[in-house]
Amino acid sequence: MADKTEEAGGVHFPFPFTPYAIQKDFMAALYQVLEAGKIGIFESPTGTGKSLSLICGALSWLRDFEQKKQEEEERLLEAGADPLNDGKGQAPCPPPSCQQSPGSPRAAGEPDWVTQFVQKKEERELVDRLKEGQVRRKKREERLRQIRHNASLKFAAKRMRQEDEETERLLRLSREMLAAGTGPEQLAWGEDELVLAEYESDEDKGSASGVDADEDDLEEEHVTKIYYCSRTHSQLAQFVHEVQKSPFGKDTRLVSLGSRQNLCVNEDVRKLGSVQLINDRCVELQRSKHEEKSVIEEEKPGRRRRLEPRATCPFYNHKQLQLLRDEVLLEVKDIEQLVALGKEARACPYYGSRFAIPAAQLVVLPYQILLHAAARQAAGIRLQGQVVVIDEAHNLIDTITGIHSVEVSGSQLCQAHSQLLQYMERYGKRLKAKNLMYIKQILYVLEKFVTVLGGNVKQSPNTQSLSQAGTELKTVSDFLFQSQIDNINLFKVKRYCEKSMVSRKVRVPLRGPPSLSSVRLFSWPAEPPNALSPCSPCGSSPGAGRGPSGSLSQPLLSSLSQLFGFTERYGAVLAPSREQPKLSGFQHFLQSLQPGVTAAPAAPAEEGEDRAPRPASPLMHIEGFLAALTTANQDGRVILSRQGSLSQSSLKFLLLNPAVHFAQVVKECRAVVLAGGTMQPVSDFREQLLACAGVEAERVVEFSCGHVIPADNILPLVICSGPSNQQLEFTYQKRELPQMMDETGRILCNLCNVVPGGVVCFFPSYAYQRQVHTHWDKSGLLARLAVRKKIFQEPQRVNQVEQVLLEYSRCIQHCGQAGGMVTGALMFSVVGGKMSEGINFSDNLGRCVVMVGMPFPSIRSAELQEKMAYLDQTLPLSFSMPSPIMPAAVPTRPTGPAPEPGCVTVTENTRRRQESALTGHLLCPSQPRAPGQVPPGKALVENLCMKAVNQSIGRAIRHQKDFASIVLLDQRYARPPILAKLPSWIRDRVQVKATFGPAFAALRKFHREKSGSS
């Protein structure tokens, strides 16, 4: 269909078809938010074309903004080039951002001629910058135009790549021929002058320098752009496809960002599997290239030295990266297309996409890159004056909290201490004094972390039983005092870990271990050391390398362990990685050889079981934990979880205030848009995120549109009692009662009799779902349900979800065609599970969604209790602004009795306010809580519950002609504060039924009419 241009709010919006009225309103509101530089919270239900509205609205604003900016620059350049303005006429006025505010006073006693001179100098510099920017922009446009219209450039680049590959192949054959020879023959006196020196052409010299040779060609000035981020790569790919189909698909310079794991095209690196291993190997290959360059430059002329060849990445090449950058900007491409282009061009898509960021108009990237300051810096993202659109933002607060919360286990602490200690004993004599000092400080910190959990680093964490069990919460200051490391500057320790990369020195080597036949044997020392350490070599003889009892000697064990890395002393403390099963088995073998150590048997992995990839070094986790301790003092807590044994215990940094990290995004960006299908309840975003980040209430704009479906295509019901008049209130105390579970089963039996197709029933937890399923199986209710619907259960493993959904869909399709007693399928799902978000139950797959009870989070959770206490202590105070990111304050040793073992302790508000005063940060006033208003802690629990409910019931109604009923089984849903937190398009149509009879009649009538009309 031809593109159309729609006008809304005085702005023309290109659109691929005639938009809905709500889409026009959405685009007009979005345009106004971006133009005014505000913070927008946009809610548009699934099926209303939210993605297209975001694309056309935001890119229309960017189109107009660039046009206005270009016109302003041309006006300034004309005024600056006018000879009448050469000191006599009126000088060009700088843009509003560069002008001095009217109220700003001039420096006292400054002469007028000095002021005029400074002003003219600034104006000349402004004109020069505008001219430079104009030249760069024209060069970029000309370069892209040539690539677009001149196919010979692409063929020339391809031919150049083929020539390079052929040259490399011939060089490799020449080296093999030389290596196969018997060695150079002896030359007569004077003949050595006739031998040709090593030849290196100018092209080789230029290519040897890699990207650094022409770094300026890859670096450009950042233009105004829109950063669009979402939760998963599949959602980002879907958004890119929408851009390609939009009227802006041919003229927009779009860049898709991703991790090395998604973008790497070097098969030798990709096969490592683990994200951390891929990152380490990529950095190592680049370092090899740069070190080789520095060695070549430092060599004196005329002096030849044979260098040991080191592996470098063949895809990290300046010419190819430059071509890939331009190809990325030429046409809109998703991640898969970008990887395919990188393979064809033999250039790295990871770095090519990052070099394209400055000139891009639209950058598509995952949450994690945008919301983490270090990740933004590493990717080269600059937010100053830019626009950020965060889609699927309903879980934004949880995402920021999760990104900046770190947990380390007792096993990881012991493992890191063991590896670092062996590293120091192995290379201690080669290290400088400062290196030894910092390594000893890290060892001391690790030992104290284990001690505070109640363990001992000199013993195996698997066999250490803790005398105290329970959960304890501490402020950062209290935790440092209790650990007895308050006298150590953690900032310097963290900086040392970053600069020295010590965690990568003690990690498992990325290259596979050499064969055991290449290991030299060592004699048994007089007194075997406690740690793995090298001994002097001797000649091999029968029995060499064997101890008194025939076991492998400690020196040989040391040599073997160096093949794999610095192996743990205390047995297998972590599950082996699926990415490197051979290396994991080798490590297990090494551990089994250590005297006095019984390697813990690895638990058999069930078929299809998913495992998180093992990081390269446990010390990396410790670095993340130290970084968290040094970035947030007042707004962070440390949770000490003691669970029987040391290996099961852990230390966790919990971020209570995500606004401290979101504040930088809001401060630097021109405008921020938070969009989602279900953003209710919005109060969390206003209070916990935006207000705490220093955003004024006047800057926040809310927009919520209805659904495109007719009003009679949805039937939301709140049922307060069942068929036997049993009141439905699924509190924690009542929901396990047999009569409550029986009443729920009877309701489902009645629903399955009148609802065609698929029914999706959500339970509050996996445990409760299993309990109800077992009870129904014993009572016969499950058999009654199976008469009308085939029953499916949500699997707990991710890799089984797709198969279950496929069988569920096939069953509904078959029942619809064959007829008979079975009319569809019934899916038992869990709120917050794998089918409550991102799954599409459209049309017959979800004709009815049932919500059993209210899925409140566990109030027994120590983290939730502390979060509730924190909000109660901060939000209602007269002065309660959370602290920004800053170094931890110099603490004072706390006084008072220590908490009893096994209990959950919560910090005191008075101490927090004292610490806030010590830091000297500004406190922003907030309104006290009104009488009768729900406390912030309780409101948090309700909001978490209703967010989960809204996500679950949003699985149905996916397009304009879809229809479904939504059944909420709990009388608490009828309360006005709870109803107010439902999406408006559902809330306005909810019917509350006190008894089951009228509810059942309404459901039967609704589905009979809709099924007949469809």
Side-chain angles (χ1 to χ4, degrees):
M1 185 177 294
D3 295 341
K4 298 187 177 182
T5 301
E6 296 293 333
E7 183 174 352
V11 181
H12 294 279
F13 296 100
F15 215 76
F17 50 83
T18 303
Y20 302 126
I22 59 175
Q23 288 179 311
K24 294 181 182 180
D25 297 339
F26 188 105
M27 291 186 291
L30 177 63
Y31 192 101
Q32 294 174 2
V33 166
L34 301 185
E35 182 68 18
K38 294 180 179 287
I39 309 296
I41 302 176
F42 284 74
E43 183 181 51
S44 180
T46 303
T48 57
K50 170 170 59 70
S51 297
L52 263 180
S53 301
L54 282 171
I55 292 168
C56 297
L59 291 180
S60 295
W61 170 84
L62 185 61
R63 172 204 61 196
D64 296 344
F65 177 83
E66 290 179 344
Q67 183 177 354
K68 293 176 184 176
K69 183 179 179 181
Q70 189 170 354
E71 292 174 355
E72 181 69 13
E73 289 179 357
E74 291 176 356
R75 186 186 67 80
L76 291 174
L77 290 174
E78 290 177 1
D82 190 354
L84 297 177
N85 282 333
D86 190 13
K88 297 180 181 179
Q90 186 178 2
C93 298
S97 60
C98 302
Q99 293 179 356
Q100 193 177 23
S101 59
S104 56
R106 195 177 61 183
E110 189 175 89
D112 293 341
W113 67 269
V114 174
T115 305
Q116 295 176 1
F117 175 79
V118 172
Q119 183 179 358
K120 291 179 181 178
K121 182 181 178 182
E122 292 177 351
E123 291 166 355
R124 286 194 298 269
E125 292 176 351
L126 174 62
V127 171
D128 292 340
R129 287 197 303 269
L130 293 177
K131 290 180 179 179
E132 292 175 1
Q134 195 176 53
V135 171
R136 284 194 297 266
R137 183 173 64 251
K138 289 182 178 179
K139 286 177 60 178
R140 180 181 66 244
E141 292 174 353
E142 178 65 19
R143 190 175 65 244
L144 296 180
R145 187 189 65 79
Q146 290 180 358
I147 296 176
R148 180 181 290 110
H149 299 291
N150 192 352
S152 63
L153 290 177
K154 296 184 180 180
F155 291 118
K158 187 174 183 180
R159 186 171 62 252
M160 187 186 302
R161 290 195 301 270
Q162 293 174 348
E163 291 176 357
D164 293 341
E165 292 173 0
E166 180 66 16
T167 302
E168 182 64 28
R169 187 182 69 84
L170 293 175
L171 284 174
R172 186 170 61 252
L173 290 175
S174 300
R175 295 191 188 100
E176 291 175 356
M177 291 173 60
L178 291 174
T182 57
E185 60 178 318
Q186 296 293 329
L187 298 178
W189 182 83
E191 282 187 307
D192 55 346
E193 295 181 359
L194 302 178
V195 179
L196 292 172
E198 180 73 21
Y199 174 73
E200 187 176 30
S201 66
D202 295 336
E203 290 82 2
D204 293 336
K205 292 178 181 178
S207 62
S209 61
V211 178
D212 294 335
D214 297 294
E215 192 73 31
D216 294 337
D217 293 342
L218 289 173
E219 290 293 336
E220 293 191 18
E221 183 181 1
H222 284 249
V223 301
T224 302
K225 59 177 58 65
I226 298 171
Y227 288 99
Y228 173 89
C229 60
S230 190
R231 193 168 51 91
T232 63
H233 282 286
S234 61
Q235 292 171 340
L236 294 175
Q238 183 179 357
F239 178 82
V240 173
H241 294 159
E242 293 289 341
V243 175
Q244 291 173 333
K245 294 185 295 184
S246 75
F248 298 91
K250 296 182 179 179
D251 301 325
T252 301
R253 300 190 300 273
L254 182 145
V255 176
S256 296
L257 299 184
S259 63
R260 286 184 174 91
Q261 189 179 35
N262 294 105
L263 292 176
C264 180
V265 292
N266 189 331
E267 292 300 328
D268 292 335
V269 178
R270 284 179 60 88
K271 65 184 181 182
L272 295 173
S274 169
V275 177
Q276 192 61 58
L277 292 176
I278 292 176
N279 291 342
D280 289 349
R281 182 58 172 159
C282 178
V283 174
E284 181 181 347
L285 291 176
Q286 293 179 59
R287 188 165 57 246
S288 299
K289 178 182 283 287
H290 294 308
E291 288 176 358
E292 181 180 347
K293 170 199 169 186
S294 62
V295 170
I296 294 175
E297 291 178 348
E298 290 174 2
E299 284 189 352
K300 296 180 179 180
R303 180 183 177 184
R304 293 187 299 166
R305 178 162 61 97
R306 177 171 294 183
L307 297 175
E308 181 182 353
R310 301 185 64 178
T312 58
C313 184
F315 299 91
Y316 193 73
N317 177 274
H318 160 69
K319 292 181 180 179
Q320 304 310 125
L321 282 176
Q322 192 176 31
L323 178 63
L324 180 62
R325 176 200 64 183
D326 295 339
E327 287 282 354
V328 168
L329 296 174
L330 194 62
E331 296 177 352
V332 175
K333 299 176 180 64
D334 60 12
I335 291 288
E336 288 75 15
Q337 294 169 329
L338 184 58
V339 171
L341 181 62
K343 292 180 179 179
E344 180 185 353
R346 290 193 62 79
C348 177
Y350 178 80
Y351 286 101
S353 60
R354 276 153 175 73
F355 287 135
I357 290 177
Q361 296 171 308
L362 180 59
V363 180
V364 179
L365 69 165
Y367 277 170
Q368 291 75 11
I369 299 178
L370 182 90
L371 298 176
H372 198 281
R376 288 200 304 270
Q377 182 179 3
I381 294 174
R382 302 177 187 176
L383 296 181
Q384 190 67 44
Q386 310 294 4
V387 173
V388 167
V389 177
I390 302 178
D391 202 0
E392 301 298 329
H394 57 273
N395 57 357
L396 179 60
I397 296 177
D398 296 335
T399 300
I400 300 176
T401 302
I403 290 175
H404 296 91
S405 296
V406 186
E407 184 174 13
V408 293
S409 65
S411 295
Q412 290 173 328
L413 292 170
C414 290
Q415 189 184 26
H417 185 277
S418 171
Q419 291 182 349
L420 190 58
L421 181 63
Q422 293 171 68
Y423 178 84
M424 186 183 71
E425 293 173 346
R426 174 70 176 86
Y427 300 108
K429 295 182 180 180
R430 295 174 176 264
L431 298 176
K432 300 294 184 181
K434 273 198 172 181
N435 280 322
L436 281 175
M437 179 192 71
Y438 279 112
I439 288 177
K440 289 181 178 179
Q441 285 187 348
I442 298 173
L443 288 171
Y444 177 78
V445 169
L446 293 173
E447 182 179 358
K448 290 303 179 181
F449 283 168
V450 174
T451 302
V452 80
L453 284 174
N456 189 338
V457 293
K458 298 180 181 180
Q459 301 176 14
S460 170
N462 295 322
T463 59
Q464 290 189 61
S465 298
L466 304 183
S467 58
Q468 300 178 357
T471 304
E472 189 177 357
L473 286 101
K474 296 284 184 181
T475 63
V476 174
S477 301
D478 292 350
F479 172 73
L480 297 180
F481 281 126
Q482 184 174 346
S483 303
Q484 298 179 359
I485 59 173
D486 51 297
N487 59 333
I488 291 181
N489 191 328
L490 294 182
F491 296 95
K492 289 187 175 181
V493 173
K494 179 178 75 75
R495 193 178 306 114
Y496 171 79
C497 292
E498 294 172 353
K499 299 295 182 182
S500 67
M501 295 190 293
V502 62
S503 61
R504 290 163 175 80
K505 306 292 184 182
V506 301
R507 60 163 167 75
V508 176
L510 293 170
R511 303 177 183 87
S515 61
L516 296 181
S517 60
S518 64
V519 180
R520 297 191 63 183
L521 302 180
F522 296 88
S523 62
W524 179 266
E527 292 184 12
N530 292 329
L532 300 180
S533 59
C535 296
S536 58
C538 69
S540 60
S541 60
R546 292 282 173 180
S549 60
S551 60
L552 287 179
S553 68
Q554 187 75 6
L556 175 58
L557 179 60
S558 175
S559 185
L560 286 172
S561 67
Q562 291 170 29
L563 296 178
F564 182 79
F566 293 89
T567 183
E568 304 80 30
R569 300 180 181 183
Y570 307 123
V573 294
L574 288 177
S577 171
R578 186 176 61 180
E579 282 73 16
Q580 291 184 319
K582 296 181 179 179
L583 295 184
S584 301
F586 185 71
Q587 184 188 32
H588 192 77
F589 165 71
L590 288 179
Q591 293 163 349
S592 67
L593 297 178
Q594 298 185 51
V597 173
T598 303
E606 298 184 23
E607 184 178 357
E609 183 177 2
D610 291 323
R611 284 179 179 169
R614 175 178 175 173
S617 168
L619 194 56
M620 292 182 183
H621 275 291
I622 314 301
E623 289 182 7
F625 186 70
L626 293 178
L629 293 179
T630 53
T631 53
N633 185 18
Q634 329 310 331
D635 305 304
R637 300 290 183 269
V638 179
I639 302 177
L640 290 78
S641 177
R642 303 181 179 93
Q643 305 293 335
S645 67
L646 179 60
S647 61
Q648 298 173 341
S649 303
S650 64
L651 299 174
K652 181 176 182 179
F653 175 83
L654 174 65
L655 179 67
L656 297 178
N657 180 26
V660 296
H661 295 282
F662 195 65
Q664 186 177 4
V665 176
V666 173
K667 180 181 179 181
E668 294 183 359
C669 290
R670 171 192 177 97
V672 178
V673 176
L674 310 181
T678 53
M679 297 295 289
Q680 293 292 337
V682 181
S683 58
D684 280 356
F685 297 102
R686 280 188 168 273
E687 297 174 4
Q688 295 185 39
L689 203 60
L690 300 179
C692 292
V695 179
E696 299 84 1
E698 296 78 14
R699 194 184 173 195
V700 181
V701 176
E702 292 184 26
F703 176 86
S704 179
C705 63
H707 212 294
V708 294
I709 62 171
D712 57 353
N713 273 25
I714 181 175
L715 178 63
L717 293 175
V718 175
I719 301 180
C720 301
S721 62
S724 62
N725 293 326
Q726 172 71 42
Q727 290 297 313
L728 301 178
E729 188 171 0
F730 293 85
T731 61
Y732 190 78
Q733 295 80 11
K734 297 180 180 178
R735 68 183 187 182
E736 297 180 0
L737 297 176
Q739 57 267 32
M740 189 69 72
M741 291 187 283
D742 290 339
E743 194 76 346
T744 307
R746 286 189 285 267
I747 293 174
L748 278 181
C749 285
N750 284 278
L751 294 182
C752 291
N753 286 332
V754 298
V755 177
V759 177
V760 184
C761 181
F762 285 98
F763 291 88
S765 66
Y766 284 105
Y768 187 61
Q769 180 207 345
R770 288 192 296 266
Q771 184 179 5
V772 171
H773 188 275
T774 303
H775 179 79
W776 288 350
D777 190 21
K778 294 179 179 178
S779 63
L781 274 169
L782 207 60
R784 290 172 55 189
L785 287 171
V787 172
R788 303 294 292 178
K789 303 287 184 184
K790 185 176 180 180
I791 298 175
F792 294 85
Q793 292 190 72
E794 175 183 320
Q796 287 189 289
R797 297 176 192 159
V798 177
N799 59 346
Q800 295 178 348
V801 173
E802 186 176 353
Q803 181 64 29
V804 172
L805 287 174
L806 184 61
E807 295 177 2
Y808 174 79
S809 175
R810 287 175 177 172
C811 175
I812 294 175
Q813 184 178 5
H814 175 73
C815 294
Q817 296 173 353
M821 290 292 293
V822 179
T823 60
L826 173 62
M827 175 71 74
F828 291 153
S829 301
V830 176
V831 177
K834 301 162 188 62
M835 296 185 180
S836 63
E837 187 172 340
I839 301 297
N840 188 350
F841 288 106
S842 62
D843 299 320
N844 280 336
L845 297 182
R847 288 306 183 196
C848 181
V849 177
V850 182
M851 179 66 59
V852 178
M854 298 187 68
F856 286 105
S858 175
I859 199 64
R860 300 179 181 179
S861 167
E863 298 181 19
L864 180 60
Q865 290 186 17
E866 184 67 6
K867 179 74 173 182
M868 293 172 62
Y870 176 82
L871 294 178
D872 287 339
Q873 295 161 2
T874 54
L875 291 185
L877 298 178
S878 298
F879 294 94
S880 59
M881 180 60 189
S883 62
I885 302 177
M886 57 175 55
V890 178
T892 55
R893 190 171 297 275
T895 59
E900 296 184 7
C903 68
V904 176
T905 60
V906 179
T907 56
E908 298 180 4
N909 182 35
T910 55
R911 191 189 313 135
R912 180 194 175 276
R913 298 192 65 177
Q914 291 172 358
E915 292 172 348
S916 300
L918 284 174
T919 60
H921 66 268
L922 298 177
L923 296 175
C924 298
S926 65
Q927 297 296 328
R929 189 168 72 240
Q933 185 180 352
V934 178
K938 184 178 179 181
L940 169 69
V941 176
E942 288 185 357
N943 290 344
L944 290 175
C945 169
M946 292 309 298
K947 280 183 181 179
V949 170
N950 293 337
Q951 282 300 309
S952 298
I953 62 179
R955 298 310 91 210
I957 309 290
R958 310 297 289 184
H959 57 85
Q960 185 182 16
K961 298 182 179 180
D962 203 356
F963 67 91
S965 57
I966 298 174
V967 179
L968 305 177
L969 297 182
D970 200 307
Q971 63 181 3
R972 292 174 292 178
Y973 283 112
R975 299 174 184 173
I978 300 298
L979 283 176
K981 295 178 180 179
L982 289 170
S984 58
W985 63 279
I986 295 179
R987 179 177 64 242
D988 297 339
R989 306 168 188 177
V990 167
Q991 301 179 26
V992 179
K993 303 295 184 181
T995 57
F996 182 74
F1000 180 74
L1003 276 168
R1004 180 172 53 188
K1005 178 182 178 182
F1006 173 82
H1007 285 285
R1008 182 179 299 168
E1009 293 178 352
K1010 292 301 172 184
S1011 298
S1013 61
S1014 61

